[in-house]
Amino acid sequence: MRSTLSELAVQAGVSVSTVSKVLNGRTDVAPTTRERVGRLLAEHGYRTPRRSGLVDLVIGTLHSPWADALVAGAVSAAAEQDCRIVVNTAPPHGDGLGAVLDKIVARGTDGVLTVHHLPDSVVRERLAAKGVPLVVIDPPVEPEPSVRSVASTNWQGGLSATRHLLELGHRRIAVISGQLSVWSARARLDGYRAALLQASVGVDKALVRSGEFCPAAGHAQALALLDLPEPPTAIVAGNDGQAFGVLQALAERGLRAPADMSVTGFDDVSVAAWAAPALTTVRQPLEAMAATAFRMLRLAVAGSAVQPYQVELATTLVIRDSTAAPRYGGA
């Protein structure tokens, strides 16, 4: 008869729960311990699960340059470690995400990267019980300390874009934020407000707008801002998609950036440099964010003793042609 888990635990000098974790492929065991226990299990006829060589990326949509950059970053990092990325789509709300994750676990995976999706605690516990580590990229809400995540310095990005416009002489600066239920959108908006306050410029509520991170929202909100009795001289858009919508709204009114209004974006997607005019924007290191998340996941799979849990990568202001000093003064 082969030894029981209790007997193997005594031989290995560890607890029964540790032996059970190794047997079930859990990653929360030190590498040296897992190797020692795994060897004992194999010698006594137990089979530990093999790694699949697959890591799953779950994202809301693939139809955007933003998504392209994140997928490219994950695929590139995985190729360095002879691993493959499986791309899945899932809605951000409701039971859709949990169902997708359950299918992934049933099929077999070494870990899951989610983009702008934070599974609830019940789903996270199911993943942990199956030994499937999780890293969240650009979490939609502030994650708990126990959740591994990668984000960017959104507050600093909002601050730097607004500060750039202030340094050009603008004072009537509007903002089109993303939806305020989104953590990154609130951070960018707070950065905008901080820059105005630091420059002793009051925040005019009429100039603070919000909408989805898409061209349609930027277009609609820009038209509304242009219809104000005193339109702004500059607009800080929540992302590049919104900024493209702002540029379209200006063109429809016979106006141009930056002659009639300065415009900034956020993300620096691949087409930002090809906009007309080329877009001044805050570069969010999207490919590096996905690559960092993948490497964090691999550390978790390996049971590394040193594991970062929440990482923020720096944003950078990229100045192009869509911003300039206001034509008639900034007041």
Side-chain angles (χ1 to χ4, degrees):
M1 294 179 61
R2 64 181 181 180
S3 299
T4 66
L5 296 189
S6 298
E7 291 169 340
L8 291 179
V10 172
Q11 291 183 51
V14 298
S15 67
V16 175
S17 65
T18 297
V19 176
S20 178
K21 287 179 181 180
V22 175
L23 180 61
N24 288 286
R26 292 275 294 273
T27 60
D28 49 343
V29 179
T32 54
T33 302
R34 187 170 62 249
E35 182 180 353
R36 185 173 73 255
V37 173
R39 191 164 52 246
L40 274 173
L41 286 166
E43 289 172 357
H44 289 81
Y46 290 91
R47 296 182 63 184
T48 57
R50 293 184 177 181
R51 292 296 169 189
S52 66
L54 304 178
V55 167
D56 283 80
L57 176 72
V58 181
I59 193 167
T61 178
L62 296 173
H63 305 298
S64 73
W66 179 83
D68 291 344
L70 289 166
V71 172
V75 169
S76 177
E80 294 174 359
Q81 300 192 27
D82 196 26
C83 184
R84 289 176 292 164
I85 297 292
V86 180
V87 180
N88 311 263
T89 58
H93 305 295
D95 297 330
L97 176 60
V100 169
L101 293 176
D102 285 343
K103 290 179 181 178
I104 288 171
V105 172
R107 180 248 294 151
T109 185
D110 290 351
V112 175
L113 305 172
T114 62
V115 178
H116 210 61
H117 289 69
L118 179 58
D120 63 33
S121 59
V122 174
V123 174
R124 297 200 304 270
E125 288 171 5
R126 288 209 302 267
L127 291 175
K130 294 291 186 178
V132 177
L134 167 74
V135 180
V136 183
I137 303 170
D138 191 17
V141 298
E142 185 173 3
E144 299 172 14
S146 61
V147 176
R148 298 180 183 89
S149 66
V150 179
S152 68
T153 53
N154 288 290
W155 182 89
Q156 183 63 42
L159 179 87
S160 62
T162 310
R163 184 178 285 167
H164 167 64
L165 295 170
L166 289 164
E167 290 171 349
L168 289 172
H170 293 275
R171 290 299 178 268
R172 193 161 175 78
I173 303 171
V175 64
I176 303 174
S177 167
Q179 292 174 300
L180 297 182
S181 59
V182 177
W183 186 36
S184 60
R186 294 197 305 274
R188 295 172 196 179
L189 178 59
D190 287 344
Y192 157 86
R193 288 177 171 143
L196 293 182
L197 293 174
Q198 288 175 9
S200 299
V201 176
V203 179
D204 186 341
K205 292 182 179 180
L207 300 183
V208 178
R209 306 298 174 105
S210 65
E212 293 186 10
F213 280 133
C214 65
H219 177 264
Q221 294 297 345
L223 291 177
L225 289 165
L226 289 169
D227 287 337
L228 291 174
E230 290 185 73
T233 64
I235 294 178
V236 176
N239 75 341
D240 289 347
Q242 287 185 343
F244 297 148
V246 172
L247 294 176
Q248 182 182 18
L250 291 175
E252 290 174 2
R253 293 292 178 87
L255 304 173
R256 278 187 58 81
D260 301 294
M261 181 178 292
S262 288
V263 180
T264 68
F266 201 111
D267 284 336
D268 195 26
V269 295
S270 57
V271 295
W274 298 98
L279 186 65
T280 293
T281 187
V282 175
R283 177 175 294 155
Q284 185 173 206
L286 297 170
E287 290 194 21
M289 288 165 63
T292 299
F294 173 82
R295 293 178 185 121
M296 288 170 64
L297 193 70
R298 297 299 286 179
L299 287 173
V301 169
S304 172
V306 179
Q307 294 187 32
Y309 266 73
Q310 294 180 350
V311 174
E312 280 193 347
L313 301 186
T315 53
T316 308
L317 180 67
V318 180
I319 300 173
R320 297 195 180 101
D321 301 332
S322 65
T323 52
R327 179 183 293 180
Y328 303 112

